[in-house]
Amino acid sequence: MITNGYCTIVCPDDDGNYKIVGTYPCMWQETEGYEVKKYGEENADKAAVWIPDLSADVKKHDYIIRGELAKVGDLDGMLTVMSAARRDYGSEDMRHIEIGAR
């Protein structure tokens, strides 16, 4: 699978702190935008991310950040994982995890 960058998965723990689960190569496609609501404008950023590593530990409600993050501190640009689907069919080169994030 062709990748265009790295992503870092961050998971909240039971104490309300964050821990880094891992950093993985990925194909990242992002849409930045705002939606106009009756009460004002709302952030509408979305990302579709494909990770070619089936061992990546990512699940719904984790957070994903574009790039490599050495330590939890600067969580600017963090998106919430809304879906994570394992696509473990086909040849080794086709297997991946597909993530939808907002």
Side-chain angles (χ1 to χ4, degrees):
M1 171 181 284
I2 297 172
T3 61
N4 65 356
Y6 286 88
C7 66
T8 303
I9 307 296
V10 178
C11 176
D13 61 12
D14 296 334
D15 300 329
N17 298 319
Y18 297 99
K19 67 176 182 174
I20 294 175
V21 174
T23 300
Y24 307 99
C26 69
M27 169 56 87
W28 185 287
Q29 293 180 352
E30 186 170 14
T31 303
E32 295 180 10
Y34 291 93
E35 293 178 354
V36 178
K37 304 282 187 174
K38 283 195 284 190
Y39 52 83
E41 86 182 0
E42 185 175 286
N43 189 2
D45 293 347
K46 295 184 219 175
V49 183
W50 293 269
I51 299 175
D53 184 359
L54 287 178
S55 67
D57 184 22
V58 59
K59 55 193 170 300
K60 193 173 179 178
H61 302 299
D62 283 350
Y63 299 101
I64 189 167
I65 300 169
R66 186 174 190 168
E68 297 181 60
L69 194 63
K71 64 178 183 167
V72 177
D74 183 25
L75 298 178
D76 246 6
M78 178 170 67
L79 298 174
T80 304
V81 174
M82 303 306 286
S83 65
R86 292 175 53 91
R87 308 292 188 205
D88 58 355
Y89 46 79
S91 70
E92 291 286 328
D93 294 336
M94 288 180 57
R95 296 176 185 164
H96 63 279
I97 296 176
E98 185 176 340
I99 298 170
R102 292 196 147 192

